Amino acid sequence: MKIILTGPTGHIGSNVLKAALAHPDVTSIIAFSRRELPNSPPDPENKLRVVVQTDFTKYSDETLKACAGAEACIWGMGVGNSEKSRSVIVDTTVAAANAFIDGKLAGEGKKLRFVLLSGMFVEKDQEKKLWFMTEGRKIRVSTIARCNSK
């Protein structure tokens, strides 16, 4: 199985990458990263291809072609609770999901599974008054809603 992974330099993404490299059913990993991997895990089967991507809202035809045949995208990219959160989490995730769906990466008759990783305390009720990390806890749910609207 070929997978796409974002956020391979983060805490969660780096562990997903290690697990994917070790899993016998994963044959290829396209890892999108904002920077080179500082400590690339062992890859004896040469499964990993790192794509340094500066703009996660646009994907070239060449990049989409490299992702062709992927059966899953594990979206692990994110930032802490900040002003950039909405842009990084919502805009980039939705742009990628749309590009991957429009590009029909999985192939004819197959579905691409898009897994959006999120942190603790995510709140589904967008109207609920929260005591801490208000915006950050609601962003992921609005992202899922925008991805599902396609």
Side-chain angles (χ1 to χ4, degrees), residues 29-144:
I29 304 162
I30 307 294
F32 286 101
S33 180
R34 290 176 276 201
R35 59 186 178 275
E36 291 292 336
L37 299 185
N39 298 317
S40 193
D43 183 16
E45 296 175 39
N46 203 25
K47 296 180 184 183
L48 178 62
R49 177 177 173 205
V50 178
V51 176
V52 176
Q53 183 90 359
T54 56
D55 185 352
F56 281 81
T57 62
K58 297 180 180 121
Y59 295 85
S60 69
D61 290 339
E62 181 182 327
T63 299
L64 292 174
K65 188 176 180 182
C67 296
E71 295 180 47
C73 174
I74 302 172
W75 195 267
M77 187 174 73
V79 294
N81 194 19
S82 72
E83 293 281 324
K84 284 179 65 174
S85 293
R86 181 159 296 278
S87 172
V88 169
I89 294 170
V90 178
D91 298 341
T92 60
T93 306
V94 171
N98 289 338
F100 297 165
I101 291 166
D102 292 345
K104 297 177 177 53
L105 297 185
E108 197 64 40
K110 292 185 178 182
K111 287 187 177 184
L112 174 74
R113 289 168 181 83
F114 197 98
V115 179
L116 175 61
L117 302 179
S118 63
M120 292 175 53
F121 309 118
V122 171
E123 180 55 54
K124 290 181 182 179
D125 182 352
Q126 297 291 290
E127 303 302 317
K128 186 174 184 178
K129 294 203 185 283
L130 302 173
W131 291 87
F132 64 96
M133 294 172 40
T134 306
E135 184 70 12
R137 292 172 58 192
K138 293 181 178 181
I139 289 174
R140 295 284 183 176
V141 174
S142 64
T143 304
I144 292 167

Side-chain angles (χ1 to χ4, degrees), residues 1-3 20 23-29 47 69-72 113:
M1 172 192 333
K2 182 177 192 175
I3 65 169
H23 200 287
D25 290 342
V26 175
T27 57
S28 177
I29 304 162
K47 296 180 184 183
E71 295 180 47
R113 289 168 181 83

